[in-house]
Amino acid sequence: MRRKRQEDLVRELNRIDGRGYKAYRDIEGEYDFSGFTLYIDHAQSDPYAPPSRMRVRVPQEIATFPEDTYHNKSRNVALCDYLARCFHRQIPPLEKGIPLCKRGIEGIQGDLDSDRGGTGKSGLISIDKGGQEILERTAVFVNSEFVEARFVVGLPARGRRVLGRQTQRILCQDISKIVELSLRFGNLDSQKLYQHIELAEDQNALRNLLDKIGLVAFIADGSILPRATGIHDTPLKSENVVPFQSPPSLRKKISLPNRGVISGMGIPRGVTLIVGGGYHGKSTVLRAIERGVYNHIPGDGREFAITVADAVKIRSEDGRRVEKVDISPFINNLPQEKDTRNFSTDDASGSTSQAANIIEALEVGAKLLLFDEDTSATNFMIRDQRMQKLVAKAKEPITPFIDKVKPLYTDYGVSSILVIGGSGDYFDVADTVIMMDEFVPRNVTTEAKKIAAKHETKRRYEGGENFGEIKPRIPLADSFDPSRGRREVKISPKGLHSILFGTHNIDLSYIEQLVDSSQTRAIGEAILYAKRKYMDGKRTLSEILSLVQQDIVKNGLDILSYRPVGDRALPRRYELAAAINRLRTLEVFLQIRAKICV
Ligand code: ADP
Ligand code: MG
């Protein structure tokens, strides 16, 4: 069959102009345009339905991206990220002069009354350009043969009639122009482009270096950590912002492949406290450390606030479900003899949820745990001398984290960073104490140790000799049912924090290191992929996650979807595990070593 060309698309659009909306189905297919190929993968069936999925592919002979812009993984991911942002920037404003992005329409999910074309999502052009992070995503692909961008278009309608001429303008003029201006190396600001990819490469290099130099996190001098508002992730722009300055005794100089030498505060392995008065910037520092598992775009302020990849934020999350987790390192002797080596509940308390969150993170490989007093259960964190006297150990199921934080490091090499403004008892177990003083960190380890020696807490250590065993769990495939009504598979992610998996909602509200709703979409699909491919009743959750990750590394995120989609971003294994653990139907097999009786 002859390959279809732009003229064929124009002819088709003229033919269906004024017909019922479903006639748009006829334009699905592949068209040779000058300089690129347009793929109309899926035409929406209704002006109010999710917009139509399309791709453009520009051969490298025309795109001419130099090999060094994508020759390693870091650069490739960063280049794709950069191009998605360029594509987004070139989307022309709507007829009445208000660009979509300025009208509060985020991503491609929003519904709108557009004036580019008419009813429903008419006239929308959107690409998944991401936020402050540079994530591996499916919006743009680059290899030595071509550059591909995936986007959606709201096909124009008046009422429910095809507006063929408007569509012609969008597909033949607007898209061509966007492609020309954003997907050809020669038309881009190469200095900015290289700055973007070299930065991401440096961020990865720094993250990989941390472990080798005994650090778990690094925050460069001059970093801007506070965010614009509680709901905006852009840097706080105000003359009162205090740029980050490392205390001299924690300052490290690190040499990066592109940037050269940078200096900043290194947080060593072990147990680190962040102390200081209320409102002095403790949580802000911790939040930057949490987000330091991701790379950030130039100008973010956190470009060189970098944390080891296996860092997991831990918080209490009462009400969550827990499925057969051995929380006995922390909780024992619950009322009514509930077994904590095999603990399940449909409604966890603050402390049991926090214990389960820790064990689940360790189960899948966490190497650094992050705590903020603001979101921790007090009775889980500390039990002081007076309380020990009043409530006997036998009557208190909880072994507080203060008694387990050291064994966790000595037994498993897992470090902790804790924001603790309210309890000096932690001085005894800390290796490093950082005090935030009007947003400036000071190393007060020596002072804290002196105070600890002078004012003994006299509390009894309750943690036992070891942390305790972390037992792998085996998820059972049958407990994951993606069906809804007549549909065998229906997985509907809703925004950042929830996934309707079959008929069950997975609540991710407290998964603080989930940063992009495209990650959430990928998680929904990854659960199904894991169930179908790897849950065989023998593999542990951790093994399954590793296999899924390996497949993604090898074949890209596309393996999760059965069709090309442009709005998926790579989740970490910890957030994927968190979603699985929060599926209320989850069933696992937990191997409990039988006690040998002689
Ligand atoms: P804490 O946890 O110690 O109570 P927060 O980290 O919540 O304090 O910070 C309190 C306020 O100060 C927040 O509104 C935050 O945006 C702001 N802030 C944090 N760090 C800085 C900084 N370096 N410069 C200016 N303002 C900051
Ligand atoms: Mg705080």
Side-chain angles (χ1 to χ4, degrees), residues 225-227 236 240-244 276-285 287 372-374 419 436 438-439:
L225 305 185
R227 298 293 96 190
L236 176 63
N240 300 326
V241 172
V242 180
F244 192 85
Y279 218 74
H280 278 248
K282 303 182 296 297
S283 296
T284 302
V285 169
R287 222 166 292 130
D372 192 328
E373 60 187 357
D374 295 350
V419 169
M436 293 308 293
E438 297 186 13
F439 312 126

Side-chain angles (χ1 to χ4, degrees), residues 87-105:
F87 189 107
H88 171 81
R89 221 170 300 127
Q90 294 302 338
I91 296 173
L94 288 167
E95 240 140 64
K96 284 190 184 156
I98 313 161
L100 282 168
C101 56
K102 296 253 168 74
R103 305 159 115 220
I105 290 142

Side-chain angles (χ1 to χ4, degrees), residues 6 31-38 56-63 146-147 176 179-180 183-184:
Q6 184 173 342
Y31 300 90
D32 283 336
F33 274 53
S34 93
F36 65 93
T37 309
L38 171 72
V56 288
R57 205 177 258 197
V58 187
Q60 278 291 17
E61 296 87 73
I62 291 168
F146 58 81
V147 177
S176 292
V179 171
E180 184 176 329
L183 301 182
R184 289 192 192 185

Side-chain angles (χ1 to χ4, degrees), residues 317-322 343 345-354 356 584:
E317 191 181 345
D318 55 330
R320 67 158 285 197
R321 179 170 181 270
V322 176
F343 180 77
T345 175
D346 283 324
D347 184 8
S349 68
S351 54
T352 51
S353 63
Q354 194 157 357
R584 287 190 171 260

Side-chain angles (χ1 to χ4, degrees), residues 29-307:
E30 199 184 305
Y31 300 90
D32 283 336
F33 274 53
S34 93
F36 65 93
T37 309
L38 171 72
Y39 300 80
I40 302 176
D41 289 320
H42 175 77
Q44 67 208 89
S45 54
D46 187 275
Y48 293 93
S52 306
R53 285 183 292 106
M54 307 194 185
R55 288 176 289 147
V56 288
R57 205 177 258 197
V58 187
Q60 278 291 17
E61 296 87 73
I62 291 168
T64 65
F65 284 89
E67 226 189 290
D68 73 350
T69 59
Y70 60 86
H71 67 185
N72 62 35
K73 184 81 184 180
S74 299
R75 286 183 175 226
N76 194 314
V77 168
L79 175 63
C80 293
D81 176 274
Y82 187 77
L83 296 182
R85 292 172 200 273
C86 291
F87 189 107
H88 171 81
R89 221 170 300 127
Q90 294 302 338
I91 296 173
L94 288 167
E95 240 140 64
K96 284 190 184 156
I98 313 161
L100 282 168
C101 56
K102 296 253 168 74
R103 305 159 115 220
I105 290 142
E106 295 268 335
I108 59 168
Q109 305 293 312
D111 194 8
L112 67 148
D113 245 341
S114 140
D115 356 75
R116 206 198 299 269
T119 13
K121 295 188 170 78
S122 288
L124 167 80
I125 305 174
S126 177
I127 189 163
D128 185 24
K129 68 163 178 56
Q132 294 299 103
E133 295 81 15
I134 300 175
L135 299 178
E136 179 172 350
R137 53 177 78 244
T138 59
V140 174
F141 282 91
V142 179
N143 62 24
S144 57
E145 284 164 37
F146 58 81
V147 177
E148 178 174 308
R150 299 172 177 185
F151 54 96
V152 294
V153 172
L155 291 172
R158 172 151 303 130
R160 291 185 196 271
R161 306 255 146 226
V162 166
L163 281 179
R165 231 145 307 197
Q166 261 94 330
T167 308
Q168 242 179 70
R169 227 194 57 200
I170 292 175
L171 299 184
C172 301
Q173 290 173 30
D174 295 349
I175 297 295
S176 292
K177 189 128 188 254
I178 296 170
V179 171
E180 184 176 329
L181 293 179
S182 66
L183 301 182
R184 289 192 192 185
F185 181 70
N187 292 337
L188 297 173
D189 180 339
S190 69
Q191 205 182 338
K192 274 205 173 137
L193 186 151
Y194 274 99
Q195 185 198 9
H196 200 86
I197 59 179
E198 287 174 358
L199 172 62
E201 191 175 49
D202 279 347
Q203 292 175 339
N204 285 338
L206 176 52
R207 192 171 295 109
N208 291 333
L209 196 69
L210 289 179
D211 194 45
K212 294 186 192 98
I213 55 176
L215 300 181
V216 288
F218 177 88
I219 303 176
D221 291 325
S223 296
I224 304 297
L225 305 185
R227 298 293 96 190
T229 71
I231 50 165
H232 292 104
D233 205 27
T234 48
L236 176 63
K237 288 204 168 80
S238 136
E239 50 206 56
N240 300 326
V241 172
V242 180
F244 192 85
Q245 274 302 320
S246 171
S249 53
L250 290 174
R251 185 167 281 138
K252 289 264 187 279
K253 287 198 164 149
I254 291 180
S255 175
L256 299 174
N258 303 302
R259 174 72 61 116
V261 178
I262 61 168
S263 72
M265 180 175 86
I267 299 185
R269 281 191 209 121
V271 179
T272 301
L273 303 186
I274 300 175
V275 303
Y279 218 74
H280 278 248
K282 303 182 296 297
S283 296
T284 302
V285 169
L286 192 81
R287 222 166 292 130
I289 295 170
E290 272 164 58
R291 294 300 177 89
V293 298
Y294 296 115
N295 292 340
H296 289 101
I297 57 173
D300 175 80
R302 299 167 296 183
E303 290 93 321
F304 294 108
I306 300 285
T307 307

Side-chain angles (χ1 to χ4, degrees), residues 312 317 320-323 325 356-366 473 475 480 499 506-508 511 514 519 522-524 526-527 530 535 540-546 548-549 571-584 586 588:
V312 179
E317 191 181 345
R320 67 158 285 197
R321 179 170 181 270
V322 176
E323 164 67 6
V325 177
N357 284 346
I358 292 176
I359 302 292
E360 286 170 349
L362 298 174
E363 182 192 1
V364 294
R473 293 174 306 154
F480 296 77
I499 302 171
I506 303 176
D507 182 1
L508 300 170
I511 311 307
L514 184 65
Q519 288 179 309
I523 286 174
I527 295 174
M535 288 183 196
T540 65
L541 178 58
S542 186
E543 287 166 350
I544 291 165
L545 297 176
S546 300
V548 172
Q549 277 184 306
R572 302 191 312 155
R573 67 191 276 126
Y574 302 103
E575 283 69 46
L576 178 52
I580 291 174
N581 282 318
R582 280 160 188 74
L583 180 66
R584 287 190 171 260
L586 173 70
V588 303

